[in-house]
Amino acid sequence: MSDTPELSRPIKLDSLSSQTRAVAIEADVAERAALAVRFDLIAVDRLQATAEFTRDGDTVEAVGHLSADVIQSCVASAEPVPAKIDEPFQLRFVPDNMLENAAEEVELSERDCDIVGYSGGAIDLGEAVAETLALALDPLTRDEPPPEAESAYFRLYGLGLQRNRIAPARMERLFEHAAQY
């Protein structure tokens, strides 16, 4: 098995400086298919990202945006559910040894960026984008229930508020049936 990620876009450190450098990437058909398998998706129809890099010594800051069209499986029915991902990101690439030397865990605030380790003379924007995509996916994707199922569920919910009128076992069966939608 290869150590090369499905979406690899190495950027050499010596091509980065304190001056901002913009980079745009787009996954091809084979890369999108491999990412779909990796992230247990039905398909990745489109995956693009842009980033602006600045370097300060061994640390590289990347601020960018990820845009993707994916098809996930509904967790309840396994039906295909299309999703659009539009996700800003802010990453800080640091040498792996800096990560290893960090003895304690650091809590990041919302304003902080994710820290990504690298080794050698390059950072991999492609793998960072793939990981950002994975984090942006909804882990509990559901297809939309038909309107009649939703209204039936709320009717059952209303009945549930008056549970003393319906036997508990029957009420549970009604909720299980409604949850299928």
Side-chain angles (χ1 to χ4, degrees):
M1 181 171 195
S2 172
D3 288 337
T4 303
E6 299 84 353
L7 179 62
S8 183
R9 297 294 188 280
I11 298 174
K12 293 184 178 186
L13 289 175
D14 60 9
S15 72
L16 301 173
S17 68
S18 61
Q19 299 296 316
T20 301
R21 176 179 171 205
V23 176
I25 65 170
E26 183 170 357
D28 65 28
V29 173
E31 291 165 334
R32 293 193 317 264
L35 288 170
V37 170
R38 175 178 171 185
F39 299 133
D40 197 24
L41 300 169
I42 295 172
V44 177
D45 292 332
R46 181 180 61 84
L47 175 58
Q48 301 170 320
T50 58
E52 291 186 346
F53 293 93
T54 53
R55 181 178 173 191
D56 182 13
D58 288 337
T59 301
V60 177
E61 301 280 337
V63 176
H65 187 266
L66 160 77
S67 179
D69 293 324
V70 301
I71 301 176
Q72 296 179 262
S73 293
C74 173
V75 295
S77 68
E79 291 294 315
V81 179
K84 289 194 176 297
I85 309 290
D86 282 308
E87 189 77 14
F89 61 85
Q90 184 175 356
L91 306 170
R92 179 177 297 132
F93 293 88
V94 298
D96 284 338
N97 64 352
M98 285 180 67
L99 289 176
E100 294 166 3
N101 292 339
E104 60 187 62
E105 199 170 307
V106 177
E107 190 169 323
L108 300 175
S109 72
E110 248 183 67
R111 292 187 337 244
D112 291 327
C113 57
D114 290 326
I115 299 174
V116 180
Y118 71 86
S119 60
I123 59 172
D124 194 342
L125 176 61
E127 177 59 13
V129 165
E131 291 172 0
T132 301
L133 171 65
L135 293 171
L137 294 170
D138 182 354
L140 300 175
T141 301
R142 288 191 66 122
D143 55 350
E144 293 296 321
E148 63 274 7
E150 190 171 307
S151 62
Y153 180 82
F154 286 114
R155 282 191 305 246
L156 289 172
Y157 179 75
L159 290 173
L161 295 177
Q162 303 170 12
R163 257 184 197 241
N164 59 345
R165 293 186 178 178
I166 298 176
R170 183 167 182 230
M171 192 70 223
E172 290 304 316
R173 284 194 305 270
L174 289 171
F175 274 112
E176 287 172 11
H177 178 72
Q180 293 175 1
Y181 294 99

